[in-house]
């Protein structure tokens, strides 16, 4: 037995076979009609339409045979597809290629075979129309002609199958295109360049506020009449460049007049798809997209950027944009450059550490950590290095942003605070000088007035007594102010004396309340203490703790209403003791809470304020508490009073530290 060879074009042949989508499909009447006709016309037992696949031959239509396929290696049709002519075997017993073939020696006992190759649409032999009979036969030229006619009918069905498949794909592609056009909300156009005839879709008309019916009849003049006159010349130039092959597409942004009278922005894009016999442009297709919103957004963004750039350039504060990873200066404004002595070009070439002294490395790490956690840093005070090596103080605030590529950047506001520092220094020097010069004579004046007011030098009568009393109270206020100023000066210079010792807390609290009772009586306010602390001790400077309590109590007293109460409560905490001073006053305004511990800060800082005070008490109190290893804080609600508290580490009288 001779096995059929594999044709040299086997990959292409198999591709053509599979593209027909007929393998292993159900029987079809259009093919069965042909095999029945062949069986009857030629008087044979078996007529088949055989498709030769990789390893088998499969029968799309069969008459007189029950099996649906056989192995390709024993098939007669495998030999037939190797040639374009018929394969006729009149008597298989006489043909050495087939005499011992299983299909000859066993069922269906083939003695006669005639097969016509069947071609695909691209001229590949993919199968056969074959006749099989158990007796030898002759096959005339007329028989061959008739079999070829029937084979041609099968091939026509193949072609119909291919055309139907192409049509289905075309319909699907058309549906996808229609869905795409509808989904993207774009207008479409077709233009016969030579005649001016055009075809627009409904969306094309809708973009300019019309329906197609309102614009009919349409032509290229329809577009030209709606286009902005200033855009026609540039559009024409873009078209000529495309016609000349200088650009792959016609691509132009133009304005078109809306039905309501305003202009809409349109992205017009198209391509030449054919030329006439003379090589002239013929058919062109394209799209119209309404980009009015995008253009308006771009224009608004440009205006916004111009405004921000103006603010950036004219800002009296320095502004810088830095790369988050490298610290490189990406952009800087004139206010930042001015005090440095560098030109802008020189400054941009500097690394971050060329303008930042090395001793700020630790603080820089703290600010970097804040940015990692919160996206912001500052306010942060440090120094910058000028071009000549000198330094000047700056105050920085900043935030982390990301650019369009996701790169992290840092925007920073950098304020030159040289003048502020100089003024603070002058103010402090002035206050120090005045305070020291006034303290001694004022102490003497206050002492004299106190003696006079007490009657030790005789009892003043009438208005004179009133004047002495007023003078004594005012001198007391001035003396307190000067003492506060001197304390603040010592704190700023780091010279404030603190003598920390373990002291019993209860006697100190009782003494502070006792000393402030006269002040409370002036305001008709009661002082009360609640504690369950026993004999706990605190590591404090007793004088300074008394000063802290005096500041907190005097504030609570003067802001409490007449007949009100100020409560001192001492409570045990997990890590120490908490001293609370609670009043029934008006509470602290929300906008003042952030500044409450700043120097010279008062909720009412006008000359007409009624409660008096220097605005230094709480600032001094916080410094004293910090130096004694404690913490101070407060809680307050408007019209519900305030509570200031001081937390201190403690131990019992048995010296067991808590």
């Amino acid at each position: 037995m001779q096995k059929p060879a594999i044709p040299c074009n086997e990959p292409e042949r198999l591709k053509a076979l599979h593209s027909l989508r007929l393998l292993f499909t159900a029987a079809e009447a259009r093919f069965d009609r042909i095999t029945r006709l062949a069986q009857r016309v030629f008087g044979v037992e078996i007529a088949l339409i055989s498709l030769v696949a990789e390893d088998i031959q499969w029968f799309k239509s069969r008459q007189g045979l029950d099996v649906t396929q056989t192995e390709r290696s024993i098939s007669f049709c495998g030999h037939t597809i190797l040639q374009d002519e018929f394969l006729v075997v009149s008597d298989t017993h006489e043909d050495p290629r087939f005499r011992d073939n299983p299909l000859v020696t066993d069922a269906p006992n083939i003695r006669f075979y005639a097969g016509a190759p069947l071609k695909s649409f691209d001229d590949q032999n993919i199968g056969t129309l074959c006749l099989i009979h158990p007796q030898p036969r002759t096959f005339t030229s007329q028989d061959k002609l008739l079999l070829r006619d029937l084979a041609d009918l099968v091939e026509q069905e193949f072609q119909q199958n291919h055309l139907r498949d192409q049509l289905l794909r075309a319909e699907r592609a058309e549906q996808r295109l229609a869905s795409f056009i509808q989904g993207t909300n774009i207008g479409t156009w077709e233009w016969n360049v030579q005649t001016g005839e055009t075809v627009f879709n409904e969306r094309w008309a809708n973009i300019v506020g019309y329906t197609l019916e309102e614009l009919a009849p349409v032509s290229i003049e329809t577009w030209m009449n709606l286009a902005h006159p200033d855009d026609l010349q540039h559009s024409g130039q873009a078209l000529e460049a495309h016609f000349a092959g200088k650009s792959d597409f016609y691509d132009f942004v133009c304005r078109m007049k809306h039905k309501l009278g305003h202009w809409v922005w349109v992205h017009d894009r198209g391509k030449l798809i054919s030329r006439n016999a003379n090589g002239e442009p013929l058919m062109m297709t394209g799209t119209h997209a309404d980009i009015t919103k995008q253009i308006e957004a771009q224009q608004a963004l440009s205006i916004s950027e111009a405004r921000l750039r103006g603010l950036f350039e004219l800002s009296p504060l320095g502004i810088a944009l830095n790369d988050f990873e490298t610290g490189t200066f990406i952009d800087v404004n004139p206010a930042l450059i001015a005090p440095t002595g560098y030109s802008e070009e020189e400054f941009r070439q500097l690394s971050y550490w060329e303008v930042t002294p090395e001793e700020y490395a630790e603080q820089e790490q703290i600010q970097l950590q804040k940015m990692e956690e919160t996206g912001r840093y500052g306010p942060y005070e440090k120094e910058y290095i000028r071009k000549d090596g000198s330094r000047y103080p700056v105050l920085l605030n900043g935030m982390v942003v990301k650019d369009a590529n996701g790169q992290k950047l840092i925007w920073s506001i950098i304020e030159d605070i040289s003048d502020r520092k100089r003024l603070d220094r002058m103010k402090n020097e002035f206050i120090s000088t005045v305070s020291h010069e006034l303290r001694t004579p004022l102490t003497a004046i206050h002492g004299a007035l106190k003696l006079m007011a007490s009657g030790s030098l005789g009892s003043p009568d009438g208005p004179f007594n009133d004047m002495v009393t007023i003078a004594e109270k005012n001198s007391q206020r001035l003396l307190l102010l000067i003492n506060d100023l001197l304390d603040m000066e010592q704190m700023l210079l780091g010279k404030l004396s603190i003598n920390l010792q373990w002291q019993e807390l209860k006697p100190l609290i009782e003494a502070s309340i006792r000393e402030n009772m006269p002040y409370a009586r002036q305001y008709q306010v009661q002082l009360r203490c609640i504690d369950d602390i026993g004999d706990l001790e605190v590591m404090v400077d007793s004088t300074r703790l008394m000063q802290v309590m005096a500041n907190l109590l005097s504030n609570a007293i003067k802001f409490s209403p007449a007949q009100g109460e100020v409560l001192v409560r001492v409570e045990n905490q997990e890590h120490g003791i908490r001293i609370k001073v609670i009043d029934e006053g008006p509470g602290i305004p929300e906008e003042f809470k952030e500044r409450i511990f700043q120097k010279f800060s008062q909720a009412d800082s006008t000359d007409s304020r009624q409660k008096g005070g220097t605005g230094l008490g709480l600032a001094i109190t916080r410094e004293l508490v910090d130096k004694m290893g404690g913490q101070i804080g407060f809680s307050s609600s408007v019209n519900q009073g305030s509570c200031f508290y001081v937390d201190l580490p403690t131990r019992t009288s048995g010296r067991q530290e808590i």
Side-chain angles (χ1 to χ4, degrees), residues 227-294:
H228 196 289
D230 294 345
D231 295 336
L232 291 176
Q233 181 180 353
H234 299 296
S235 173
Q237 292 170 351
L239 276 172
E240 291 302 322
H242 179 55
F243 292 159
K246 296 178 181 178
S247 60
D248 293 334
F249 297 92
Y250 163 72
D251 197 325
F252 189 69
V253 173
C254 61
R255 291 160 291 181
M256 296 182 68
K257 195 163 190 177
H258 195 274
K259 181 180 180 180
L260 299 179
H262 61 274
W263 297 98
V264 294
W265 288 92
V266 172
H267 186 186
D268 193 0
R269 185 174 171 85
K271 186 175 179 63
L272 185 67
I273 58 174
S274 66
R275 294 179 181 270
N276 62 18
N278 298 323
E280 298 172 318
L282 183 58
M283 292 303 298
M284 189 171 179
T285 61
T287 60
H288 267 192
D290 184 356
I291 58 170
T292 305
K293 290 183 178 179
Q294 293 94 310

Side-chain angles (χ1 to χ4, degrees), residues 104-136:
V104 174
T105 59
D106 295 315
N109 303 114
I110 300 174
R111 291 292 299 275
F112 168 77
Y113 173 88
L118 297 174
K119 291 184 176 293
S120 66
F121 66 94
D122 54 354
D123 206 35
Q124 300 289 337
N125 290 343
I126 59 172
T128 69
L129 172 62
C130 65
L131 308 173
I132 296 174
H133 198 67
Q135 300 296 328

